[in-house]
Amino acid sequence: MEPCKLSCKSEYALLALIELAVKYDAGEPLQIREIAANQNIPDRYLEQLLATLRRGGLLRSQRGAKGGYLLARDPWKITLLEVVSCIEGWDSGSLTENSNPKTVETAVVWEVWQEARQASESVWQKYTLQDLCDRRNAKRQLDIMYYI
């Protein structure tokens, strides 16, 4: 993923996790079809994303008639960097390769790109799922006040 571009996979994953974070306090799992319908995400695609997030330790699944997915931790304990890293398959070591630049020009370009990547990661690290929920709620309040 480029530092300033959000992939469709990551966006869908974050939208699904917002759904799960909003329902977190109820303690009841959400089913794929419910999340997919609420966020307009194709079911099959969402199924793959949720499986990836479960393998990454961000979600847990519950089987049975009332089964579905739940957050593995409190929404304020899951950073957006964790989510995007899990979905994009980022490995902290793989992003710092190119330790042997071929030219001075390659080295300076790489250094600036690294700086941009680190800045991007620090923003992703700063926010949690709870922050997204809080922003969502604030925007909804503004929309309600606007229409009154």
Side-chain angles (χ1 to χ4, degrees):
M1 186 172 96
E2 297 169 35
C4 296
K5 186 175 179 192
L6 184 62
S7 74
C8 188
K9 277 193 323 188
S10 289
E11 182 178 359
Y12 282 165
L14 289 166
L15 292 174
L17 289 172
I18 289 171
E19 283 292 310
L20 290 163
V22 167
K23 305 281 188 189
Y24 180 76
D25 286 335
E28 294 176 14
L30 283 178
Q31 295 182 339
I32 289 173
R33 68 174 178 268
E34 189 178 352
I35 299 168
N38 289 348
Q39 292 298 332
N40 199 23
I41 303 169
D43 288 39
R44 304 300 261 160
Y45 195 53
L46 181 59
E47 195 174 340
Q48 293 170 1
L49 292 174
L50 295 179
T52 300
L53 292 166
R54 187 182 55 74
R55 284 190 303 274
L58 298 174
L59 293 180
R60 55 190 181 88
S61 57
Q62 186 171 307
R63 296 188 184 278
K66 295 215 183 266
Y69 284 90
L70 300 133
L71 294 179
R73 300 192 312 267
D74 298 326
W76 55 90
K77 292 181 179 173
I78 299 174
T79 69
L80 304 189
L81 181 61
E82 285 181 272
V83 175
V84 175
S85 296
C86 178
I87 290 296
E88 300 297 334
W90 285 351
D91 176 12
S92 56
S94 68
L95 294 173
T96 56
E97 289 167 6
N98 202 17
S99 55
N100 242 348
K102 305 209 181 344
T103 65
V104 172
E105 292 80 3
T106 305
V108 295
V109 168
W110 183 254
E111 286 168 10
V112 172
W113 188 86
Q114 284 290 92
E115 187 179 336
R117 184 189 56 77
Q118 287 166 355
S120 172
E121 280 188 16
S122 78
V123 172
W124 286 111
Q125 180 65 41
K126 181 170 119 180
Y127 293 100
T128 66
L129 291 178
Q130 187 63 51
D131 294 324
L132 289 184
C133 290
D134 293 346
R135 283 182 172 216
R136 167 190 173 266
N137 295 340
K139 281 196 181 301
R140 285 190 166 178
Q141 281 301 115
L142 280 174
D143 287 349
I144 290 169
M145 289 170 60
Y146 179 75
Y147 289 114
I148 291 177

